[in-house]
Each structure stands twice: as structure tokens, then as C-alpha cells.
Amino acid sequence: MELITNKKQCCGCTACYSICPKNAIKMEYDEEGFLYPSINSELCIDCGMCKSVCAFQNGYEKHPVIKGYALKHKNMDIRMTSRSGGAFAGLAYHILSLGGVVYGAVYGDNYSVKHFRCTDEKDLSKIQGVKYIQSEMNDIFSDVKSDLKSGKYVLFSGTTCQVAGLLAFLKNTDTAKLYTADLICHGVPNNMIWQEFLHWNERKYNGKLTDAKFRDKCYGWKPHFESVTIDGKKHRTKRFCLMFYENDILRPSCYECKYASLDRAGDFTLGDFWGIKKQYKDMFDKTGCSLFLINTKRGEELFDKINDNFILKDADVVKASFPNPNLRFATPLPKRRDYFWELYRTYDFDKVMKIYNRKIFKSRVKKNLKKIKRIIIK
């Protein structure tokens, strides 16, 4: 059985791994640190289940947006522990109150990112907050299936490809108690590059990492600063952010993402409401604002039960999609993506950062000059 012929055909969702009746598929790292399915031909019985479950190759059930909101949770503590306006937390607290289970991305050992099964409110803060890394799923899809079979309510949050993969895997399972929230996704790097970055900071500051945040809200909502805490001392940086937005470290399939549109896979879509000032100036502040999309009737029914927890204003979804371009198209493949990976294969990471940062600096200068030119023309 040949599952993929090109790495652009695989988003790494693990649906194929999870559905294999003979455990013939393992997820293995490639040279860039991304996980791909590897089939053991001695165990494979050519049943074709792995091919049929692939939502990335076969398509997914599309849900046009029903309703969009600018959203802020009324509880300031929840807002400040969230990276946007607290939309996910509002959904999650409700599911937990029903005795349900919440799944989302958390930091694991050494601040690697993985999906986590949460049954207690005290653990919910682990999931809140953005993590610009593809989370490792392991056996999470099977865990969701077990929870649904036992009659539990489940909220699953993840990238849209993860949501679509899960729904394809659960095709023959009763999903009446499952709610899904997909994310407005720019594309995903992996744990290998994130770990390299963290170790680089340990060497730079000559100490041990004790905390890390992708976007630290203590510096405000809109400014994108990550923070690393070394031996108890916090350091603000934009190094990983700038690498991320150069787009060279994203998964190959991200450049051909099938889900970058207003036809969503999940019941809800969550993201930062960039451009909120143009629709509602009074909703813009340093605590953050969520762009919250409802995509299914059942999602709308659930939200009606909890919307008193939020400050809400109707959003023009089309207008909101322009400052959030991944609601319209996939992140373009950079012309020089290979440049970063050539550096990575050739040098140690300290030298990679030194050389690559020159490229980032030149790229930033060009983009700023273009902005200035547009302003002058206006």
C-alpha cells in the first residue's frame, strides 16, 4: 500500500495511523522534523482504510460560516490567560461542566507541543494560549472515540486539518456529543525547530529554561513577542516569530492547505480578530479580541447556551477575512524555503541563527519600504 507519493499530500493528522486495523502504520520524523506515516509492508493487508480516511487527499464536509462575532470573555482573568479574547475557554468550561472532556494542544516534556486530554478545570489553562507548532497527536483520535462511545461530551480543538482528520476517522462513530473548534492557521513548524530555538536561548543566556510562551500577553495582545524564562529571568524576543512569518519552516502541505477558506471543518472557528479597529474601535485593547465563527446549527445551539459569558458584536466575516488572509488562501510557498534547510543541514543552530537573521533583517527592510511607499502614494 502506498499512502503518499509527495509530502505535500500529507498534513500529519494521524487519521491513517489511528484507523489501521493491523497497527501497520507508524508516524516517523523526516529530515525536517515533520511526522509522516510509514507503512510496515509485512503487517499491511492492503485493506485501503488508510487511503479512504485521508481527508486531506479526499476532501472534507464543508460548513459555510453561519455567524461571525467579535468576542471577549467577560471574565478578565480568563481573557488574560488566553491569547485572544477567551472564546475557547468559554466553550471548554461549558463542556467540562457537563462532565465532558476537552482536547487541545499543551506543552509536554521540554516544552514540546502535544495534544492533551483535559477533564478538570484546573488543567484548562494548559490548553489556553496559542502554540505556533504542529502538536503531536499520538493516540488522541482513538481517545476521542473511546470518550464518545462512553457517552461523554467532547470538545476537540486543533488546526483545521486535525479537525477534518478526526471527523474522517470518526465517520462510523456516533458524534452527537462531539463539538469541534478549528483554528485560523497560518501554517505549522514542528517541535524540532522549536526545541532548537529553546536550546539556543539557553546557550545565549547561559542557563536552564524554566518557561516559554509563543505570544506573551504581558507585552500586549497585538505585538507578537515570545518570551523565554531562563533560571527565573524572563527575556522578551521576536526571533521565533520572525522565523515563523518568513514561512520557511512550515510543513510542506501548509503551502497547499485545502482548509484555508470560509468553508470550515469544525462547528466553530477561532482566531485573533486582526483588523478589529476597522469594525469596532471600542473592542480593541491589550487584553485581546477573538474572531469567533459559528459554522453549524448544532454549534449555534450550543453557543446560545453560553453567550451571556461574552461581550459580543456582530462581525462582517468577509471584511474580517482580509486581515486574516488564511481564511481566504494558504500561505504561499517562499521562493527561498530551501535556503533555511540548507543552512540547518550544514551548520550548528547558533550559526544558522546568525546567518538566517541577516536574511530576516533584509526581508523586514524590504517590507517596511513597501509600506512606506504605499503610504506616500496614498
Side-chain angles (χ1 to χ4, degrees):
M1 175 68 65
E2 187 175 40
L3 189 51
I4 59 172
T5 57
N6 187 312
K7 288 181 177 178
K8 293 180 181 180
Q9 297 175 332
C10 175
C11 63
C13 74
T14 73
C16 57
Y17 157 79
S18 301
I19 206 168
C20 180
K22 295 296 182 180
N23 297 318
I25 299 177
K26 301 298 179 187
M27 300 299 292
E28 296 183 350
Y29 297 100
D30 75 346
E31 67 280 1
E32 292 184 354
F34 294 103
L35 284 165
Y36 291 90
S38 175
I39 300 177
N40 184 331
S41 58
E42 293 182 2
L43 296 176
C44 178
I45 57 173
D46 289 320
C47 65
M49 293 180 71
C50 56
K51 290 284 283 187
S52 63
V53 81
C54 182
F56 196 81
Q57 294 186 40
N58 301 326
Y60 65 103
E61 184 178 357
K62 299 178 180 180
H63 304 293
V65 177
I66 295 173
K67 186 74 175 175
Y69 291 105
L71 178 152
K72 289 175 178 287
H73 203 288
K74 290 178 180 177
N75 185 311
M76 184 61 75
D77 289 337
I78 289 177
R79 234 154 72 203
M80 289 306 295
T81 53
S82 303
R83 291 287 78 85
S84 298
F88 167 76
L91 294 171
Y93 278 115
H94 178 68
I95 294 297
L96 292 177
S97 74
L98 299 174
V101 183
V102 175
Y103 288 87
V106 300
Y107 287 126
D109 296 336
N110 301 316
Y111 290 89
S112 60
V113 180
K114 65 177 184 178
H115 251 64
F116 173 71
R117 181 180 182 271
C118 174
T119 58
D120 195 313
E121 287 185 7
K122 66 180 175 61
D123 290 327
L124 195 57
S125 61
K126 297 177 182 178
I127 301 177
Q128 289 173 261
V130 291
K131 300 167 186 73
Y132 292 89
I133 296 296
Q134 184 169 34
S135 58
E136 297 190 3
M137 304 300 290
N138 299 310
D139 295 315
I140 287 293
F141 281 12
S142 296
D143 293 341
V144 172
K145 186 174 184 177
S146 295
D147 283 330
L148 291 172
K149 283 190 170 183
S150 67
K152 295 182 182 296
Y153 282 95
V154 174
L155 171 65
F156 178 91
S157 67
T159 59
T160 317
C161 58
Q162 289 172 335
V163 170
L166 173 66
L167 293 173
F169 169 73
L170 296 172
K171 184 177 180 180
N172 297 316
T173 302
D174 183 358
T175 57
K177 290 188 175 182
L178 172 67
Y179 293 92
T180 54
D182 63 52
L183 308 175
I184 303 173
C185 180
H186 178 81
V188 286
N190 60 52
N191 276 306
M192 180 182 78
I193 293 300
W194 174 238
Q195 292 289 307
E196 291 272 25
F197 173 75
L198 295 179
H199 293 321
W200 175 75
N201 276 280
E202 288 183 321
R203 294 190 294 273
K204 180 180 179 180
Y205 296 111
N206 191 29
K208 180 70 175 176
L209 182 81
T210 53
D211 194 17
K213 291 183 174 65
F214 284 86
R215 267 176 47 211
D216 195 327
K217 217 172 201 179
C218 76
Y219 304 118
W221 169 55
K222 189 174 182 180
H224 186 149
F225 287 102
E226 63 262 9
S227 67
V228 292
T229 303
I230 308 294
D231 291 335
K233 184 177 180 180
K234 182 185 284 191
H235 303 273
R236 186 179 77 169
T237 172
K238 285 181 75 81
R239 293 295 185 90
F240 193 83
C241 159
L242 294 175
M243 289 173 64
F244 175 72
Y245 284 115
E246 283 299 296
N247 301 326
D248 296 317
I249 58 175
L250 306 184
R251 188 180 182 97
S253 61
C254 294
Y255 308 114
E256 298 186 8
C257 179
K258 308 294 194 298
Y259 310 104
S261 76
L262 288 172
D263 290 323
R264 310 304 297 176
D267 296 296
F268 310 102
T269 295
L270 313 177
D272 293 286
F273 202 137
W274 304 129
I276 184 61
K277 272 186 174 181
K278 292 185 177 180
Q279 291 200 35
Y280 299 110
K281 287 185 180 180
D282 60 322
M283 292 286 278
F284 176 82
D285 60 34
K286 67 179 181 180
T287 67
C289 183
S290 295
L291 177 58
F292 184 76
L293 308 180
I294 300 175
N295 311 317
T296 64
K297 294 299 288 184
R298 60 195 305 275
E300 189 173 33
E301 290 167 3
L302 174 65
F303 188 67
D304 285 343
K305 298 175 183 178
I306 63 171
N307 59 19
D308 286 344
N309 295 312
F310 304 105
I311 301 166
L312 296 171
K313 292 199 176 182
D314 292 345
D316 185 319
V317 176
V318 173
K319 285 183 179 178
S321 72
F322 285 90
N324 293 275
N326 293 109
L327 283 173
R328 294 181 290 120
F329 50 79
T331 296
L333 175 67
K335 292 180 180 179
R336 297 186 65 195
R337 182 183 187 273
D338 290 342
Y339 177 70
F340 174 85
W341 295 104
E342 287 171 7
L343 292 177
Y344 184 78
R345 286 189 291 269
T346 306
Y347 303 109
D348 62 64
F349 200 72
D350 292 51
K351 191 166 184 178
V352 170
M353 290 296 286
K354 186 175 181 180
I355 297 172
Y356 189 68
N357 279 328
R358 294 186 199 133
K359 187 235 184 193
I360 291 175
F361 176 76
K362 291 177 182 178
S363 175
R364 296 289 112 182
V365 169
K366 287 181 181 178
K367 288 179 181 179
N368 287 333
L369 287 174
K370 286 181 180 179
K371 288 180 181 178
I372 293 170
K373 186 177 179 180
R374 285 197 296 268
I375 292 170
I376 292 172
I377 290 172
K378 286 182 179 179

